[in-house]
Structures are given as C-alpha cells and as structure tokens.
Amino acid sequence: MATIRYNAGASLRPPSSRFRSPTCILSFFRPTKSKSARAKSDLLSLISDQDHGLKTQSDPSKRAEIISAIDALELLGEGSVTTGKSLSATWRMLWTTEKEQLFIIKNAGLFGTKAGDVLQVIDVEEMRLNNVITFPPTGVFFVRSTIEPEPPQRVNFKFTSAVLRSSDREIPLPPFGQGWFESVYLDDDIRVAKDIRGDYLVVERAPYSWTE
C-alpha cells in the first residue's frame, strides 16, 4: 500500500507566481500616479495652443477632445476631497469655456489695452474668492465673492462686489450672481473645475500671490 507523506514544515500557500493576494489584485485597479501624470499631460498638450480657449470656440472637435481629457482626469480624481487647504492659492487660467472671460480677453484691445493673467484667487480659511483679469501694467478687473465649501468637491459662491481699477481711479460695480463649481481634479500643479452652467476651467498654481 502506498504511503502518503506530509512535510510538516512545508508551506501550504500556493506559489506566488500563480496567485496574488487580494491586496495585490485591488492595487491593480487603483489609479496610479503614472495614470494621472499621463492624463494630465494629455490635457495640457491639447490646450497648449488654444489661446486660453479662444481658438476652441470655433473648433468643436478640439473642444470634444479636451472635454474627453478632462473626463479622464475627473475619473482619476473621483472621490478625492478638493475643498480643503490645498484649494487655497492664486490660480492662473490656462483654458476655459466661459464666454464672458473669453470675450474680455478677446476684446481688451477695443479699450486700448491687453489682457494679462486671468486668475482665481481662493482662500478657504477666510471663505473668500476673487476672480481677476489683469490689464498690464496697472489695470485690473476683479469680482469679490464669499464661498462655502461643500465637500468632497463642490464650492458654493456668491458675488459681493466688483471693481474696475486703473492706476489713477477705481470704479465700483454691483454684485451680479451666485452659483457653484466643482474641482474634479486637483494636484500640486493644476486644478480642473466644472461649474453650475456646464463650463470648464483648467488652471495652474501661479508663481506669485495676487492681492488687492
């Protein structure tokens, strides 16, 4: 009769080359930094020659490509909290679909000037937001707002006042609206947002801080 021998010291664990632990399997499906970096690079490449979005207005296929790239980043940022301290910054616009901002950028020359940096200045701790369009060397138009973060990604805002300022005068303007935006992707370099009107915004952290 055959004898079956057991090696008491042998491991009963299956060979690692054929089996993976649940942790290893789950990690395969988690978004990785390389996926984020690739998706971010694709988006930045698509918007790099779009003149803040002015060229995109007359190119529906390019707009569709850019929005698809935004959707890819949104998927990677799904579930992340983007309403905390990391949201506080001077953000410089790279690309947008917001018609009002693009109109001002395009037509600034009619007023004998040229649009410079377009900014979104957010202070979460102070519950404050300024939307800013600069007109070098000294001109600026900005809209003050109060904000109310609604984690994980939404920020509600309400305009409180607006100011058109030059080197020698300041013209106050009345507030004119409220709404919300969602930062669907946020990292150390860029932020991607969608708002209540269905507009998109891609901004980068500016190398300076804007103050009134």
Side-chain angles (χ1 to χ4, degrees):
M1 180 180 294
T3 301
I4 300 176
R5 299 181 182 275
Y6 294 92
N7 184 348
S11 171
L12 298 179
R13 186 187 294 256
S16 60
S17 61
R18 296 183 181 180
F19 298 88
R20 294 286 184 261
S21 69
T23 301
C24 291
I25 294 172
L26 289 173
S27 67
F28 177 80
F29 295 100
R30 292 188 187 124
T32 63
K33 288 185 178 180
S34 60
K35 289 180 182 178
S36 296
R38 186 164 56 250
K40 182 169 74 171
S41 177
D42 289 344
L43 174 60
L44 294 178
S45 177
L46 284 168
I47 66 176
S48 62
D49 62 350
Q50 292 302 294
D51 195 13
H52 298 300
L54 289 173
K55 293 182 179 179
T56 317
Q57 289 182 309
S58 58
D59 192 341
S61 62
K62 175 66 73 171
R63 176 190 168 98
E65 281 188 87
I66 293 171
I67 292 175
S68 178
I70 287 174
D71 289 342
L73 270 179
E74 180 178 2
L75 184 62
L76 291 172
E78 188 175 15
S80 62
V81 177
T82 59
T83 54
K85 291 183 179 180
S86 60
L87 181 60
S88 295
T90 295
W91 297 97
R92 181 166 57 185
M93 189 184 79
L94 298 175
W95 181 86
T96 190
T97 59
E98 292 183 14
K99 293 179 181 178
E100 293 85 356
Q101 288 193 0
L102 292 174
F103 177 84
I104 294 173
I105 293 170
K106 181 179 180 179
N107 295 287
L110 297 177
F111 304 97
T113 186
K114 179 180 179 182
D117 285 347
V118 181
L119 309 169
Q120 201 172 59
V121 185
I122 301 175
D123 189 326
V124 173
E125 186 174 343
E126 296 294 328
M127 301 292 190
R128 187 171 62 233
L129 160 69
N130 282 336
N131 287 302
V132 183
I133 301 178
T134 62
F135 301 101
T138 59
V140 63
F141 171 68
F142 61 95
V143 180
R144 301 183 184 101
S145 307
T146 57
I147 60 172
E148 181 183 349
E150 186 180 322
Q153 296 187 335
R154 181 168 292 189
V155 173
N156 301 300
F157 63 85
K158 183 176 182 179
F159 298 129
T160 58
S161 64
V163 173
L164 180 60
R165 179 185 294 163
S166 65
S167 59
D168 58 354
R169 62 178 174 169
E170 182 171 305
I171 303 173
L173 301 169
F176 49 87
Q178 61 185 16
W180 56 259
F181 65 86
E182 292 180 339
S183 297
V184 298
Y185 180 83
L186 171 67
D187 66 15
D188 293 337
D189 304 310
I190 71 167
R191 179 170 60 90
V192 180
K194 300 162 68 173
D195 69 20
I196 189 172
R197 300 189 307 176
D199 280 319
Y200 296 85
L201 177 69
V202 181
V203 290
E204 65 177 350
R205 292 183 189 272
Y208 60 88
S209 295
W210 183 90
T211 59
E212 290 188 33

mmCIF file of all heavy atoms in Angstrom, residues 184-207:
data_model
loop_
_atom_site.group_PDB
_atom_site.id
_atom_site.type_symbol
_atom_site.label_atom_id
_atom_site.label_comp_id
_atom_site.label_asym_id
_atom_site.label_seq_id
_atom_site.Cartn_x
_atom_site.Cartn_y
_atom_site.Cartn_z
ATOM 1 N N VAL A 184 -12.874 68.924 -9.928
ATOM 2 C CA VAL A 184 -12.935 67.474 -10.141
ATOM 3 C C VAL A 184 -11.557 66.834 -10.155
ATOM 4 O O VAL A 184 -11.428 65.607 -10.064
ATOM 5 C CB VAL A 184 -13.689 67.144 -11.441
ATOM 6 C CG1 VAL A 184 -15.125 67.641 -11.358
ATOM 7 C CG2 VAL A 184 -12.991 67.753 -12.668
ATOM 8 N N TYR A 185 -10.517 67.669 -10.283
ATOM 9 C CA TYR A 185 -9.132 67.168 -10.197
ATOM 10 C C TYR A 185 -8.274 68.266 -9.606
ATOM 11 O O TYR A 185 -8.386 69.430 -9.984
ATOM 12 C CB TYR A 185 -8.601 66.771 -11.577
ATOM 13 C CG TYR A 185 -7.178 66.243 -11.519
ATOM 14 C CD1 TYR A 185 -6.922 64.919 -11.187
ATOM 15 C CD2 TYR A 185 -6.100 67.078 -11.763
ATOM 16 C CE1 TYR A 185 -5.626 64.433 -11.108
ATOM 17 C CE2 TYR A 185 -4.800 66.608 -11.679
ATOM 18 C CZ TYR A 185 -4.565 65.292 -11.348
ATOM 19 O OH TYR A 185 -3.282 64.823 -11.258
ATOM 20 N N LEU A 186 -7.405 67.886 -8.680
ATOM 21 C CA LEU A 186 -6.534 68.856 -8.009
ATOM 22 C C LEU A 186 -5.246 68.166 -7.613
ATOM 23 O O LEU A 186 -5.258 67.087 -7.003
ATOM 24 C CB LEU A 186 -7.240 69.399 -6.765
ATOM 25 C CG LEU A 186 -6.432 70.277 -5.805
ATOM 26 C CD1 LEU A 186 -6.067 71.603 -6.462
ATOM 27 C CD2 LEU A 186 -7.224 70.539 -4.525
ATOM 28 N N ASP A 187 -4.113 68.767 -7.986
ATOM 29 C CA ASP A 187 -2.825 68.259 -7.516
ATOM 30 C C ASP A 187 -1.906 69.438 -7.193
ATOM 31 O O ASP A 187 -2.379 70.568 -7.031
ATOM 32 C CB ASP A 187 -2.195 67.273 -8.513
ATOM 33 C CG ASP A 187 -1.797 67.906 -9.846
ATOM 34 O OD1 ASP A 187 -1.730 69.150 -9.940
ATOM 35 O OD2 ASP A 187 -1.543 67.158 -10.805
ATOM 36 N N ASP A 188 -0.632 69.197 -7.111
ATOM 37 C CA ASP A 188 0.311 70.256 -6.731
ATOM 38 C C ASP A 188 0.519 71.284 -7.838
ATOM 39 O O ASP A 188 1.106 72.349 -7.599
ATOM 40 C CB ASP A 188 1.666 69.654 -6.348
ATOM 41 C CG ASP A 188 1.588 68.831 -5.076
ATOM 42 O OD1 ASP A 188 0.660 69.066 -4.280
ATOM 43 O OD2 ASP A 188 2.455 67.961 -4.877
ATOM 44 N N ASP A 189 0.058 70.975 -9.049
ATOM 45 C CA ASP A 189 0.327 71.848 -10.191
ATOM 46 C C ASP A 189 -0.921 72.484 -10.792
ATOM 47 O O ASP A 189 -0.924 73.673 -11.103
ATOM 48 C CB ASP A 189 1.049 71.059 -11.295
ATOM 49 C CG ASP A 189 2.316 70.405 -10.809
ATOM 50 O OD1 ASP A 189 3.136 71.103 -10.182
ATOM 51 O OD2 ASP A 189 2.490 69.199 -11.044
ATOM 52 N N ILE A 190 -1.961 71.680 -10.988
ATOM 53 C CA ILE A 190 -3.129 72.173 -11.707
ATOM 54 C C ILE A 190 -4.427 71.821 -10.977
ATOM 55 O O ILE A 190 -4.449 70.995 -10.072
ATOM 56 C CB ILE A 190 -3.198 71.625 -13.150
ATOM 57 C CG1 ILE A 190 -3.547 70.116 -13.139
ATOM 58 C CG2 ILE A 190 -1.914 71.892 -13.911
ATOM 59 C CD1 ILE A 190 -3.942 69.587 -14.512
ATOM 60 N N ARG A 191 -5.486 72.469 -11.422
ATOM 61 C CA ARG A 191 -6.831 72.167 -10.943
ATOM 62 C C ARG A 191 -7.777 72.230 -12.134
ATOM 63 O O ARG A 191 -7.650 73.101 -12.997
ATOM 64 C CB ARG A 191 -7.262 73.183 -9.874
ATOM 65 C CG ARG A 191 -8.662 72.965 -9.319
ATOM 66 C CD ARG A 191 -8.908 73.866 -8.098
ATOM 67 N NE ARG A 191 -8.775 75.280 -8.408
ATOM 68 C CZ ARG A 191 -9.783 76.046 -8.820
ATOM 69 N NH1 ARG A 191 -10.983 75.526 -9.001
ATOM 70 N NH2 ARG A 191 -9.578 77.326 -9.054
ATOM 71 N N VAL A 192 -8.714 71.299 -12.180
ATOM 72 C CA VAL A 192 -9.707 71.249 -13.241
ATOM 73 C C VAL A 192 -11.080 71.359 -12.593
ATOM 74 O O VAL A 192 -11.391 70.623 -11.655
ATOM 75 C CB VAL A 192 -9.605 69.942 -14.051
ATOM 76 C CG1 VAL A 192 -10.669 69.918 -15.148
ATOM 77 C CG2 VAL A 192 -8.206 69.791 -14.649
ATOM 78 N N ALA A 193 -11.897 72.289 -13.100
ATOM 79 C CA ALA A 193 -13.197 72.547 -12.472
ATOM 80 C C ALA A 193 -14.318 72.573 -13.501
ATOM 81 O O ALA A 193 -14.109 72.902 -14.672
ATOM 82 C CB ALA A 193 -13.162 73.874 -11.707
ATOM 83 N N LYS A 194 -15.510 72.202 -13.022
ATOM 84 C CA LYS A 194 -16.754 72.318 -13.779
ATOM 85 C C LYS A 194 -17.716 73.152 -12.938
ATOM 86 O O LYS A 194 -17.663 73.090 -11.711
ATOM 87 C CB LYS A 194 -17.342 70.930 -14.044
ATOM 88 C CG LYS A 194 -16.423 70.030 -14.835
ATOM 89 C CD LYS A 194 -16.816 68.568 -14.720
ATOM 90 C CE LYS A 194 -18.120 68.267 -15.392
ATOM 91 N NZ LYS A 194 -18.401 66.792 -15.415
ATOM 92 N N ASP A 195 -18.599 73.924 -13.598
ATOM 93 C CA ASP A 195 -19.463 74.782 -12.792
ATOM 94 C C ASP A 195 -20.941 74.571 -13.095
ATOM 95 O O ASP A 195 -21.320 73.713 -13.907
ATOM 96 C CB ASP A 195 -19.063 76.250 -12.939
ATOM 97 C CG ASP A 195 -19.358 76.837 -14.317
ATOM 98 O OD1 ASP A 195 -20.203 76.279 -15.055
ATOM 99 O OD2 ASP A 195 -18.761 77.872 -14.667
ATOM 100 N N ILE A 196 -21.757 75.354 -12.433
ATOM 101 C CA ILE A 196 -23.205 75.210 -12.490
ATOM 102 C C ILE A 196 -23.752 75.388 -13.903
ATOM 103 O O ILE A 196 -24.807 74.857 -14.248
ATOM 104 C CB ILE A 196 -23.859 76.226 -11.515
ATOM 105 C CG1 ILE A 196 -25.357 75.977 -11.369
ATOM 106 C CG2 ILE A 196 -23.584 77.654 -11.959
ATOM 107 C CD1 ILE A 196 -26.011 76.825 -10.288
ATOM 108 N N ARG A 197 -23.042 76.134 -14.752
ATOM 109 C CA ARG A 197 -23.511 76.395 -16.109
ATOM 110 C C ARG A 197 -22.984 75.385 -17.122
ATOM 111 O O ARG A 197 -23.248 75.499 -18.319
ATOM 112 C CB ARG A 197 -23.109 77.806 -16.539
ATOM 113 C CG ARG A 197 -23.678 78.899 -15.655
ATOM 114 C CD ARG A 197 -23.439 80.278 -16.247
ATOM 115 N NE ARG A 197 -22.050 80.515 -16.566
ATOM 116 C CZ ARG A 197 -21.586 81.603 -17.169
ATOM 117 N NH1 ARG A 197 -22.439 82.557 -17.502
ATOM 118 N NH2 ARG A 197 -20.304 81.760 -17.403
ATOM 119 N N GLY A 198 -22.184 74.435 -16.647
ATOM 120 C CA GLY A 198 -21.612 73.453 -17.551
ATOM 121 C C GLY A 198 -20.318 73.902 -18.196
ATOM 122 O O GLY A 198 -19.835 73.257 -19.143
ATOM 123 N N ASP A 199 -19.741 74.995 -17.697
ATOM 124 C CA ASP A 199 -18.452 75.459 -18.215
ATOM 125 C C ASP A 199 -17.307 74.698 -17.562
ATOM 126 O O ASP A 199 -17.444 74.134 -16.468
ATOM 127 C CB ASP A 199 -18.283 76.961 -17.974
ATOM 128 C CG ASP A 199 -19.016 77.801 -19.003
ATOM 129 O OD1 ASP A 199 -18.966 77.439 -20.189
ATOM 130 O OD2 ASP A 199 -19.635 78.810 -18.620
ATOM 131 N N TYR A 200 -16.168 74.720 -18.246
ATOM 132 C CA TYR A 200 -14.964 74.048 -17.771
ATOM 133 C C TYR A 200 -13.853 75.069 -17.564
ATOM 134 O O TYR A 200 -13.785 76.085 -18.258
ATOM 135 C CB TYR A 200 -14.488 73.006 -18.791
ATOM 136 C CG TYR A 200 -15.454 71.874 -19.013
ATOM 137 C CD1 TYR A 200 -16.507 72.003 -19.928
ATOM 138 C CD2 TYR A 200 -15.329 70.669 -18.329
ATOM 139 C CE1 TYR A 200 -17.396 70.971 -20.152
ATOM 140 C CE2 TYR A 200 -16.209 69.620 -18.545
ATOM 141 C CZ TYR A 200 -17.242 69.775 -19.452
ATOM 142 O OH TYR A 200 -18.131 68.746 -19.666
ATOM 143 N N LEU A 201 -12.971 74.758 -16.621
ATOM 144 C CA LEU A 201 -11.850 75.643 -16.310
ATOM 145 C C LEU A 201 -10.634 74.799 -15.953
ATOM 146 O O LEU A 201 -10.718 73.865 -15.147
ATOM 147 C CB LEU A 201 -12.210 76.541 -15.122
ATOM 148 C CG LEU A 201 -11.125 77.486 -14.602
ATOM 149 C CD1 LEU A 201 -10.835 78.588 -15.614
ATOM 150 C CD2 LEU A 201 -11.554 78.099 -13.264
ATOM 151 N N VAL A 202 -9.509 75.121 -16.574
ATOM 152 C CA VAL A 202 -8.231 74.485 -16.240
ATOM 153 C C VAL A 202 -7.283 75.585 -15.790
ATOM 154 O O VAL A 202 -7.054 76.552 -16.528
ATOM 155 C CB VAL A 202 -7.634 73.729 -17.447
ATOM 156 C CG1 VAL A 202 -6.320 73.051 -17.044
ATOM 157 C CG2 VAL A 202 -8.624 72.703 -17.993
ATOM 158 N N VAL A 203 -6.763 75.455 -14.582
ATOM 159 C CA VAL A 203 -5.871 76.485 -14.030
ATOM 160 C C VAL A 203 -4.613 75.835 -13.465
ATOM 161 O O VAL A 203 -4.597 74.650 -13.131
ATOM 162 C CB VAL A 203 -6.581 77.301 -12.917
ATOM 163 C CG1 VAL A 203 -7.659 78.185 -13.490
ATOM 164 C CG2 VAL A 203 -7.176 76.369 -11.847
ATOM 165 N N GLU A 204 -3.566 76.647 -13.365
ATOM 166 C CA GLU A 204 -2.319 76.212 -12.745
ATOM 167 C C GLU A 204 -2.016 77.102 -11.549
ATOM 168 O O GLU A 204 -2.509 78.236 -11.460
ATOM 169 C CB GLU A 204 -1.160 76.301 -13.740
ATOM 170 C CG GLU A 204 -0.830 77.716 -14.184
ATOM 171 C CD GLU A 204 0.368 77.804 -15.101
ATOM 172 O OE1 GLU A 204 1.076 76.785 -15.260
ATOM 173 O OE2 GLU A 204 0.612 78.895 -15.662
ATOM 174 N N ARG A 205 -1.225 76.590 -10.622
ATOM 175 C CA ARG A 205 -0.804 77.410 -9.493
ATOM 176 C C ARG A 205 0.145 78.479 -10.007
ATOM 177 O O ARG A 205 1.191 78.183 -10.596
ATOM 178 C CB ARG A 205 -0.116 76.548 -8.434
ATOM 179 C CG ARG A 205 -1.063 75.570 -7.749
ATOM 180 C CD ARG A 205 -0.351 74.798 -6.654
ATOM 181 N NE ARG A 205 -1.183 73.716 -6.147
ATOM 182 C CZ ARG A 205 -2.068 73.833 -5.159
ATOM 183 N NH1 ARG A 205 -2.208 74.992 -4.552
ATOM 184 N NH2 ARG A 205 -2.794 72.801 -4.761
ATOM 185 N N ALA A 206 -0.219 79.737 -9.800
ATOM 186 C CA ALA A 206 0.616 80.838 -10.269
ATOM 187 C C ALA A 206 1.896 80.913 -9.447
ATOM 188 O O ALA A 206 1.904 80.535 -8.267
ATOM 189 C CB ALA A 206 -0.152 82.153 -10.171
ATOM 190 N N PRO A 207 2.978 81.411 -10.034
ATOM 191 C CA PRO A 207 4.236 81.530 -9.291
ATOM 192 C C PRO A 207 4.272 82.754 -8.381
ATOM 193 O O PRO A 207 5.320 83.141 -7.909
ATOM 194 C CB PRO A 207 5.271 81.650 -10.415
ATOM 195 C CG PRO A 207 4.522 82.278 -11.555
ATOM 196 C CD PRO A 207 3.132 81.748 -11.457
#
